[in-house]
Amino acid sequence: MPSPESTPPEILKPVRWPLRLTLWGMTAERLTRAFWPLWSLAIAMLALMMLGIQDLVAVEWVWAAGAAFALALGWAAWRGARLFRAPRQSEALARLDASLDGNPIQAALDDQAIGAADVGSQAVWDVHQRRMRDRLAQAKAVEPDLRVARADPFALRYVALLAFAAALVFGSFLRVSSVTAMGPTGADLASGPAWEGWMEPPGYTRLPSVYLNDITAAGIDVPEGARITLRMYGEVGALNIAETVSDRPLPPDGTDATAQDFQVASSGRIAIDGPGGRAWDISMKPDAAPTVRPEGEIESSYEGDAQIPFAATDDYGVVAGTARMTLALDAVDRRYLLTPDPEPQPAIEVPLPMPIAGARDDFTEVLVENFSQHPWANLPVKLELGVEDEAGQKGWSDTKIITLPGRRFFDPVAASVVELRRALLWTRGNVPEITRMMRAIANLPDDLFRSAVPFLRMRAILGDLEQAGPGMPDATRADIALAMWDLAMLLEEGDLASALERLQRAQERLNEAMKNGASDQEIAGLMQELREATDDYLRQLSRQAQQNADQNPEMAQNQGTMEMSQNDLQRMMDRIQELMEEGRMAEAQEALRQLQEMMENMQVTQGQGGQSPGEQAMEGLGETLREQQGLSDEAFRQLQDQFNPGPQGQQGPGQQGQAPRPGQNRQPGQGQGEQQGQGQGQSQGSLRDQLADRQEDLRGELNRQSQNLPGAGTEPGESARDALRRAEEAMDNAEDSLRQDDLAGAIDDQSRAMEALREGMRDLGEAMSQQQQQNRGQQGQMQGDNPGQQRDPLGRNAGSNGNIGSDENMVQDQDVYRRARELLDEIRRRSGEGERPQAELDYLERLLERF
């Protein structure tokens, strides 16, 4: 492109100002890219001086920093001069032409190469030239590109700008001159002495610093612990400082003559004597100690989670807190196994929860902890709450005697085991009495234990207690106490294969809770357990009704019974709960008895419909599980006959009251019990052979059922097959143990087989759910009315009372309140991270508003 000097003026006249502005923009662009380190260093140095950094360090550091800045500025100037190149007008003309459509400037400067003699060609060329020159009138200056992000990847220029902005807000241009006042000079002496002062409150007060030179009032309110900094310039000794607010000793003459620094410890006076001096009456605002107190009633859930509300206050904010509990020995009912003096136990200390967001000067929170396994659970304790502020001051609440909340057990055997566990942790001297009581409980296990597993566990705990004795070490006692707790939980919660047993047990526990005056929360938890047990029982009745309909269709069609829907049952249970909440326990117990009778006599009718292969497999495995449970119960009764003589009073192989070893044969005629119907002369060995044969047949049936399971190739399907293979191995081992007269070993193997069967059925249900979702377009929902197999997209069992949602308890963690608080804290933490996308931050804010 020709230079602008050789370009005809009539062509450049329309673009004169856009060309000039584009040239200036290119100049600014190149200056910025060449000299950005220079101006960044300059404003950073100016910001530091405005903030008075030079007054806070030694003179040597000021000189060193000044020399470093001077070298850096020289390097930045040399770099800028080397890189800068002034733009030419031809370059500006080319950039401006490139910003227009069709490059009209270049086109206006072109000459017609060929066809100049042709009239038509010349006419076309003239039209083209007029169009291009008309476009010149639309020319606008090109904006310069001032970005230097590629040259400054760490954004150091923005750091310098931020420091300068902070200096404009919190600093002063007057402080720049103090860099020359590092020692008395002739100019200083001529101008006279000067001073500066600052008051800096403690950081936790969130109060701003005060520049004392701007304070003309006679008095100042200062928080306790504030730091006063005073600096004097000019002739040494011309200004003197007198103060009565700190507890420091008076400095000797000549010490700190140019600078003093002290903290406010009391009200008093600060005076600067000399030319331009000033004085203030300091009124110190003391930092009060924090306070805390219990707030409201202490509640306990059915699982034993204690909820202790409290309120805390402080003038600036609480940073931490502790709940301390010690045994109130004078208030303990010192009867039975609590008569001996207890062994010393450390106090219970639990940190108090603090608010994550919001102010901490006045707040209310709830401490949620589970003390069920502590030796003092359900015993009176002294509760003290303590909080601490950032100044290190502590405040404690008044001592309050409360009953340490813990889980309550309504099963009689479970309650007895927990009481014996507490006696063991109370003192080791109770071991002989504990062992005698446990022998008494295990003497007639038929009436107390529902299966062999808890009985065998109690026998093992009893053996450990007798072997360890009263002199057991702490580790052994802790292990035995943990085993006793697990046993009590097994007895209370149970591991029942029959839904009817679970239903009856839930009704018994609720009835027992009403008799014993349980709390509202405990009764609510037991009521929820009754609802869940009712749902499970109705599902089993539904499957049984379908089986009866398949086997006897006429019977299913000719039943003349009264029909009752699931909603009717729910209304009955709601009525029971309403009566309990109103305190009408007698009426509630009567309604519960009627519900129990109705549930025991209930039959559920089923609609027509076939079963899928998966449902047939689930029912077959369920039948196998029930038969295995029956075999285990019969083996358990055989084991009981070994430990206890028959009703005729015959003695076993040992002396009266001594239990023979497992596997030791008894004489014919002993322990008739369940075997009376098989003939008096039949030996115990033949009975165990029959059990072994039945175990072998059951293993073969399980092997046959495992051949055609659905869900092949899927992860839950393969897990189900692995679990059933483990069940077969456990059944095989149980068969061998039965043939070797090892009843205890057979019961253990049968227990493992039942657990593996349950795991396999759970995995098979998941495989069926996945298959149903994959084939939803072809098969629709699973056939049949078995709500136990209907799951929502999250894998939960659907509600069985006609409601949308799930009746299933998805929270299995024992410490659900602590887990909920951790989740809430994580949501609050993430909501404070500004770099997250705005959509996510809005969602987190909605969660915080909701919860």
Side-chain angles (χ1 to χ4, degrees):
M1 178 179 291
S3 63
E5 291 78 7
S6 60
T7 305
E10 64 273 8
I11 295 178
L12 293 181
K13 183 177 181 180
V15 296
R16 182 180 305 167
W17 275 106
L19 178 61
R20 190 172 299 172
L21 293 175
T22 301
L23 181 62
W24 293 348
M26 292 178 65
T27 304
E29 178 182 315
R30 296 186 180 184
L31 285 173
T32 300
R33 294 182 178 179
F35 291 99
W36 73 265
L38 181 64
W39 60 258
S40 297
L41 286 170
I43 65 174
M45 182 173 63
L46 180 61
L48 293 177
M49 289 189 297
M50 290 174 61
L51 291 172
I53 301 299
Q54 70 276 6
D55 298 331
L56 304 178
V57 297
V59 176
E60 292 78 7
W61 286 102
V62 176
W63 285 112
F69 267 108
L71 291 175
L73 289 173
W75 169 83
W78 172 80
R79 174 187 178 277
R82 184 174 60 88
L83 296 179
F84 177 73
R85 184 173 58 86
R88 297 192 300 272
Q89 194 171 14
S90 60
E91 295 174 343
L93 187 63
R95 176 178 289 191
L96 180 62
D97 191 26
S99 67
L100 300 174
D101 293 337
N103 298 99
I105 299 177
Q106 180 67 45
L109 297 176
D110 289 342
D111 295 328
Q112 186 175 6
I114 59 175
D118 183 48
V119 177
S121 176
Q122 183 64 37
V124 172
W125 176 256
D126 293 340
V127 172
H128 173 67
Q129 286 289 312
R130 285 196 298 272
R131 284 182 180 176
M132 293 298 102
R133 296 191 181 191
D134 290 341
R135 289 185 183 179
L136 293 179
Q138 303 175 3
K140 294 182 179 179
V142 181
E143 295 182 2
D145 184 7
L146 302 179
R147 293 173 297 179
V148 293
R150 184 174 299 178
D152 183 18
F154 299 104
L156 299 178
R157 63 195 185 282
Y158 292 126
V159 175
L161 286 174
L162 178 62
F164 185 70
L168 289 177
V169 176
F170 302 105
S172 172
F173 280 103
L174 298 177
R175 293 187 179 180
V176 178
S177 61
S178 67
V179 73
T180 61
M182 294 181 291
T185 63
D188 296 330
L189 296 176
S191 61
W195 61 273
E196 276 189 309
W198 299 269
M199 187 276 293
E200 301 177 15
Y204 61 84
T205 63
R206 281 82 173 173
L207 297 176
S209 299
V210 176
Y211 188 53
L212 295 180
N213 295 63
D214 297 335
I215 304 300
T216 58
I220 308 175
D221 293 333
V222 178
E224 182 180 1
R227 180 169 294 276
I228 304 295
T229 302
L230 297 172
R231 294 185 180 275
M232 284 72 69
Y233 311 112
E235 182 180 357
V236 176
L239 296 174
N240 295 319
I241 296 176
E243 55 88 9
T244 60
V245 297
S246 69
D247 53 2
R248 63 171 183 167
L250 293 176
D253 294 341
T255 303
D256 294 335
T258 59
Q260 290 196 22
D261 191 350
F262 51 88
Q263 285 186 335
V264 176
S266 62
S267 299
R269 179 179 174 83
I270 298 177
I272 303 176
D273 299 328
R278 199 174 300 172
W280 303 274
D281 292 326
I282 303 299
S283 176
M284 188 195 72
K285 181 180 179 181
D287 187 355
T291 62
V292 62
R293 66 185 184 279
E295 187 82 2
E297 295 295 330
I298 298 176
E299 299 180 353
S300 176
S301 67
Y302 166 68
E303 292 81 7
D305 292 315
Q307 302 178 32
I308 305 177
F310 66 94
T313 58
D314 186 64
D315 43 7
Y316 296 113
V318 177
V319 296
T322 304
R324 178 187 299 166
M325 283 165 277
T326 56
L327 181 65
L329 191 59
D330 297 338
V332 176
D333 186 4
R334 301 288 299 278
R335 293 185 297 171
Y336 310 117
L337 294 179
L338 301 183
T339 302
D341 292 333
E343 297 180 9
Q345 292 278 355
I348 303 174
E349 292 191 355
V350 182
L352 295 177
M354 295 288 114
I356 302 300
R360 294 189 179 183
D361 54 348
D362 189 357
F363 64 93
T364 301
E365 279 288 344
V366 178
L367 170 64
V368 180
E369 284 289 338
N370 195 313
F371 305 101
S372 298
Q373 298 191 45
H374 197 274
W376 300 339
N378 299 314
L379 290 179
V381 294
K382 299 177 182 178
L383 172 64
E384 291 179 297
L385 302 177
V387 289
E388 181 180 358
D389 61 10
E390 290 195 45
Q393 302 180 103
K394 297 183 178 180
W396 291 91
S397 66
D398 296 334
T399 302
K400 181 180 180 181
I401 297 181
I402 66 170
T403 298
L404 183 64
R407 178 169 184 141
R408 296 182 62 183
F409 291 81
F410 299 100
D411 183 90
V413 182
S416 300
V417 172
V418 169
E419 186 175 352
L420 294 177
R421 173 184 177 273
R422 184 179 65 184
L424 174 63
L425 296 174
W426 184 266
T427 176
R428 295 176 179 86
N430 287 328
V431 169
E433 189 67 23
I434 293 173
T435 55
R436 283 193 293 270
M437 291 185 178
M438 292 186 71
R439 285 197 212 97
I441 294 174
N443 184 39
L444 295 175
D446 246 346
D447 299 332
L448 299 178
F449 298 95
R450 297 177 177 85
S451 66
V453 176
F455 172 71
L456 293 177
R457 286 194 182 184
M458 176 170 279
R459 297 282 302 182
I461 295 172
L462 180 57
D464 293 340
L465 282 171
E466 291 176 341
Q467 181 179 0
M472 68 179 68
D474 292 341
T476 302
R477 182 171 68 165
D479 293 340
I480 295 177
L482 179 59
M484 296 177 73
W485 177 264
D486 293 340
L487 174 60
M489 291 297 296
L490 178 62
L491 291 167
E492 181 75 8
E493 297 295 339
D495 188 14
L496 306 177
S498 172
L500 178 58
E501 281 188 274
R502 181 186 175 193
L503 175 62
Q504 293 173 344
R505 196 153 163 273
Q507 292 169 343
E508 292 173 1
R509 292 170 64 185
L510 180 59
N511 193 16
E512 189 71 19
M514 288 189 289
K515 291 180 181 178
N516 295 337
S519 65
D520 294 340
Q521 285 192 336
E522 291 172 337
I523 290 180
L526 292 172
M527 195 67 200
Q528 180 62 29
E529 181 185 359
L530 176 60
R531 295 177 189 270
E532 295 173 358
T534 303
D535 293 341
D536 292 340
Y537 179 57
L538 291 178
R539 281 193 288 268
Q540 281 202 359
L541 283 178
S542 176
R543 287 196 295 268
Q544 183 181 4
Q546 185 173 359
Q547 293 175 0
N548 294 337
D550 294 339
Q551 297 173 3
N552 301 306
E554 297 180 357
M555 180 182 298
Q557 296 175 0
N558 295 330
Q559 289 179 349
T561 58
M562 180 182 64
E563 295 184 358
M564 176 173 285
S565 67
Q566 177 77 5
N567 291 331
D568 295 333
L569 293 176
Q570 292 296 332
R571 282 193 291 270
M572 290 185 65
M573 287 186 285
D574 291 341
R575 177 58 179 167
I576 294 174
Q577 187 168 3
E578 181 182 352
L579 291 173
M580 290 187 295
E581 292 174 353
E582 294 175 357
R584 299 156 65 180
M585 292 300 176
E587 298 180 31
Q589 290 178 0
E590 178 62 23
L592 181 61
R593 185 189 63 78
Q594 296 175 3
L595 176 64
Q596 182 175 0
E597 293 179 355
M598 185 191 66
M599 295 297 295
E600 291 175 354
N601 299 323
M602 178 179 290
Q603 291 183 351
V604 178
T605 60
Q606 189 81 359
Q608 298 297 326
Q611 283 186 313
S612 66
E615 291 176 329
Q616 294 176 359
M618 289 292 288
E619 289 193 0
L621 291 176
E623 183 63 26
T624 302
L625 178 61
R626 286 190 290 273
E627 292 182 7
Q628 182 62 76
Q629 180 68 55
L631 277 176
S632 180
D633 292 341
E634 291 188 26
F636 179 54
R637 283 191 288 271
Q638 291 268 345
L639 184 63
Q640 288 177 339
D641 291 340
Q642 286 187 358
F643 291 148
N644 299 285
Q648 285 95 359
Q650 295 128 330
Q651 295 183 1
Q655 296 178 355
Q656 179 72 20
Q658 294 180 348
R661 297 178 180 271
Q664 186 176 2
N665 291 333
R666 303 177 59 187
Q667 299 297 327
Q670 293 179 354
Q672 292 150 3
E674 297 292 333
Q675 286 76 25
Q676 287 182 357
Q678 300 179 8
Q680 296 292 332
Q682 192 174 22
S683 65
Q684 294 288 350
S686 62
L687 292 176
R688 291 165 191 164
D689 289 339
Q690 290 183 4
L691 291 179
D693 293 339
R694 291 172 58 188
Q695 185 68 73
E696 181 181 6
D697 296 339
L698 192 59
R699 179 174 59 85
E701 176 64 19
L702 178 61
N703 186 27
R704 184 192 64 78
Q705 294 172 348
S706 303
Q707 303 303 320
N708 299 316
L709 290 180
T714 63
E715 181 178 353
E718 295 302 323
S719 299
R721 285 167 171 77
D722 292 340
L724 296 184
R725 279 194 290 270
R726 294 196 304 270
E728 287 186 41
E729 294 175 0
M731 289 180 179
D732 192 15
N733 295 334
E735 177 191 349
D736 294 340
S737 299
L738 287 172
R739 297 193 187 280
Q740 297 173 7
D741 292 340
D742 185 5
L743 291 176
I747 292 173
D748 289 340
D749 293 330
Q750 290 169 340
S751 177
R752 284 191 290 270
M754 288 186 289
E755 183 62 31
L757 275 172
R758 295 188 185 97
E759 182 179 351
M761 294 176 67
R762 287 194 298 268
D763 294 335
L764 181 59
E766 294 181 6
M768 293 168 58
S769 177
Q770 291 183 5
Q771 185 176 4
Q772 176 188 3
Q773 293 178 4
Q774 294 173 358
N775 302 330
R776 182 174 300 173
Q778 300 176 0
Q779 298 178 359
Q781 296 181 349
M782 295 179 62
Q783 296 179 355
D785 297 330
N786 183 4
Q789 302 302 325
Q790 299 175 1
R791 292 179 176 267
D792 64 5
L794 298 179
R796 303 172 297 184
N797 290 331
S800 58
N801 58 354
N803 296 328
I804 297 176
S806 172
D807 298 332
E808 186 175 340
N809 181 16
M810 299 301 292
V811 181
Q812 301 298 333
D813 189 8
Q814 293 182 357
D815 199 356
V816 293
Y817 294 98
R818 181 176 294 278
R819 177 61 179 158
R821 176 163 292 279
E822 291 175 355
L823 291 175
L824 183 59
D825 294 347
E826 179 64 17
I827 293 174
R828 286 171 173 167
R829 184 188 67 79
R830 294 189 181 187
S831 65
E833 297 176 353
E835 65 274 8
R836 293 184 177 272
Q838 188 60 39
E840 181 179 356
L841 293 176
D842 294 341
Y843 173 69
L844 294 174
E845 289 295 333
R846 289 196 299 271
L847 285 179
L848 290 176
E849 292 175 0
R850 174 65 178 84
F851 298 104

